């Protein structure tokens, strides 16, 4: 029996996510060891520090490129008169309520999980941690560190050193966000060992009904109208 | 006698949860300044890097199918990867 599949992600979203994800992972593997040379020093030693930094910069171009691509995609969607592409992504009061209800469910204080829209609160945290921490903060501080001859002519050396600390600090914070993402996509009971929705762009209707009930209702109501 | 491997993929799940918890706790310890160096931090950081590597492998496995479909669509214009889906 064939299952009905519902489109969750468009092809541009799949492509941009793939490039961004591979870039971010590469940035972690080549960048985090520099913050902890005693514990992870074997990684740059294995690759070679110069090569490692070269790969880090190539991956940075991938991440910044995919961020710009997303931005252009959203602007074009908005200007072409399509429905607001950020409608499902922007956090609202309902996300705070969902988060509280989810915590209560996790601690056994509630019998049922909250019904989610297209993206649940944890996925929105993921999206905004990547967008704000990785693309904006890490991107800007990274460019400053990448071009010291320009940045040192504009700002003082101490400012550049502070930006370096911010770059490293936010890298760890962002890695924590990605570890949460690891839990969501690999270790959630219904998705173990791996959720392939982000690659195929489609999700089984049964799973949509179970995981994102409000979104399912929205789609089915749209079909009947 | 041929030995059958007794490793079920489901046995990896609790291991994954333990790994994610260990690495998140490591970063909490570093950020709060409770512990900056030592064997626990070394294990935690290496586990975090292992999880990042696992995600890269998962990305490559996940992308293999759609990229193969894309290639087949280029080679055979009549190839339709969505035939297996019922997108009414």
């Amino acid at each position: 029996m064939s299952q009905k599949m519902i489109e969750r992600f468009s092809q541009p979203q799949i492509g941009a996510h793939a490039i961004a994800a591979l870039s971010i992972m590469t940035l972690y593997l080549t960048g985090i060891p520099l913050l902890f040379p005693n514990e992870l020093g074997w990684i740059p030693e294995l690759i070679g520090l110069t090569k490692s930094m070269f790969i880090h910069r190539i991956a940075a171009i991938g991440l910044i490129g995919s961020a710009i691509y997303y931005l252009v995609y959203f602007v074009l969607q908005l200007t072409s008169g399509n429905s607001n592409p950020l409608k499902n992504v922007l956090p609202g009061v309902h996300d705070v309520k969902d988060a509280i209800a989810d915590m209560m469910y996790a601690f056994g204080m509630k019998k049922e999980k909250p019904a989610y829209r297209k993206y649940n609160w944890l996925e929105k945290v993921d999206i905004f941690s990547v967008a704000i921490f990785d693309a904006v903060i890490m991107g800007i501080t990274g460019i400053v560190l990448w071009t010291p001859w320009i940045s040192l002519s504009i700002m003082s050396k101490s400012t550049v050193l502070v930006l370096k600390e911010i770059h490293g600090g936010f890298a760890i914070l962002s890695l924590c966000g990605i570890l949460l993402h690891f839990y969501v996509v690999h270790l959630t009971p219904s998705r173990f060992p791996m959720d392939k929705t982000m690659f195929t762009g489609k999700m089984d209707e049964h799973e949509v009904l179970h995981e994102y009930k409000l979104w399912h209702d929205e789609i089915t109501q749209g079909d009947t109208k | 006698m041929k030995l059958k491997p007794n490793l079920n993929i489901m046995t990896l799940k609790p291991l994954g949860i333990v790994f994610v918890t260990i690495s998140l706790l490591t970063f909490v310890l570093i950020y709060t300044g409770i512990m900056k160096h030592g064997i626990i931090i070394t294990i935690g950081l290496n586990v975090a890097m292992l999880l990042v590597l696992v995600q890269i492998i998962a990305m490559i496995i996940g992308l293999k199918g759609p990229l193969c479909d894309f290639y087949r669509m280029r080679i055979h214009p009549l190839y339709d990867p969505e035939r297996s889906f019922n997108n009414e």
Side-chain angles (χ1 to χ4, degrees):
Chain A
M1 198 179 80
S2 64
Q3 294 168 312
K4 189 179 176 186
M5 303 299 280
I6 291 172
E7 189 171 319
R8 186 162 165 78
F9 301 112
S10 62
Q11 280 202 333
Q13 284 176 319
I14 296 169
H17 173 267
I19 295 167
L22 282 172
S23 305
I24 289 172
M25 300 302 157
T26 313
L27 286 166
Y28 291 144
L29 274 183
T30 51
I32 297 281
L34 301 181
L35 296 172
F36 304 99
N38 293 328
E39 289 82 7
L40 298 169
W42 62 272
I43 298 175
E45 270 183 33
L46 196 74
I47 311 168
L49 189 62
T50 319
K51 276 183 197 165
S52 175
M53 283 298 90
F54 179 72
I55 296 167
H56 193 80
R57 278 156 193 169
I58 297 289
I61 292 170
L63 181 63
I64 293 168
S66 61
I68 292 168
Y69 177 81
Y70 259 123
L71 199 67
V72 172
Y73 176 73
F74 280 134
V75 170
L76 286 176
Q77 287 267 310
L78 275 174
T79 51
S80 63
N82 288 345
S83 60
N84 184 1
L86 289 172
K87 187 186 83 178
N88 291 316
V89 183
L90 286 175
V93 181
H94 61 91
D95 289 305
V96 180
K97 287 178 186 167
D98 283 353
I100 295 166
D102 218 2
M103 299 288 177
M104 287 170 80
Y105 172 75
F107 286 107
M109 291 156 78
K110 237 182 169 186
K111 283 191 176 174
E112 281 185 13
K113 274 184 90 169
Y116 295 127
R117 296 170 192 207
K118 189 171 183 181
Y119 301 108
N120 65 35
W121 65 275
L122 202 55
E123 286 164 345
K124 286 182 187 178
V125 168
D126 256 345
I127 292 168
F128 280 93
S129 80
V130 170
I132 296 168
F133 294 160
D134 290 338
V136 179
I137 298 175
M138 304 280 288
I140 293 168
T141 52
I143 289 168
V144 169
L145 297 172
W146 191 351
T147 53
W149 59 93
I150 298 172
S151 49
L152 282 172
S153 66
I154 301 166
M155 55 189 85
S156 65
K157 194 181 171 186
S158 56
T159 313
V160 176
L161 288 172
V162 167
L163 290 176
K164 193 183 171 192
E165 285 299 314
I166 291 172
H167 192 75
F170 273 96
I172 298 171
L173 210 56
S174 148
L175 179 56
C176 291
I178 293 297
L179 288 171
L180 276 178
H181 187 69
F182 183 93
Y183 179 82
V184 172
V185 295
H186 293 288
L187 301 170
T188 303
S190 59
R191 293 172 182 173
F192 183 80
M194 188 173 157
D195 182 14
K196 286 198 171 179
T197 311
M198 198 65 237
F199 305 111
T200 59
K202 293 176 174 63
M203 196 177 224
D204 174 23
E205 191 187 11
H206 180 73
E207 197 182 342
V208 173
L209 186 62
H210 186 252
E211 298 275 338
Y212 308 97
K213 195 179 177 306
L214 293 179
W215 181 47
H216 181 268
D217 293 348
E218 196 182 308
I219 295 166
T220 46
Q221 276 169 13
D223 283 350
T224 52
K225 271 178 192 172
Chain B
M1 196 176 78
K2 197 177 175 184
L3 289 169
K4 281 185 183 173
N6 197 22
L7 182 70
N8 185 331
I9 188 130
M10 290 309 283
T11 56
L12 292 173
K13 195 180 163 188
L15 200 65
I17 293 170
V18 169
F19 277 9
V20 171
T21 313
I22 285 175
S23 39
L24 280 174
L25 282 175
T26 306
F27 289 118
V28 171
L29 288 174
I30 294 168
Y31 248 100
T32 50
I34 295 171
M35 219 182 263
K36 292 252 175 190
H37 303 283
I39 188 77
I40 296 170
I41 299 295
T42 307
I43 292 169
L45 286 171
N46 280 285
V47 165
M49 289 295 111
L50 176 76
L51 292 178
V52 170
L53 195 66
V54 167
Q55 287 211 62
I56 291 180
I57 295 165
M59 282 295 299
I60 293 166
I61 293 169
L63 280 173
K64 200 183 80 181
L67 283 177
C68 285
D69 282 342
F70 182 73
Y71 175 72
R72 286 189 196 118
M73 279 160 74
R74 288 268 170 177
I75 300 279
H76 307 288
L78 292 176
Y79 179 78
D80 181 12
E82 303 210 350
R83 271 181 304 186
S84 57
F85 298 128
N86 181 13
N87 293 320
E88 288 166 348

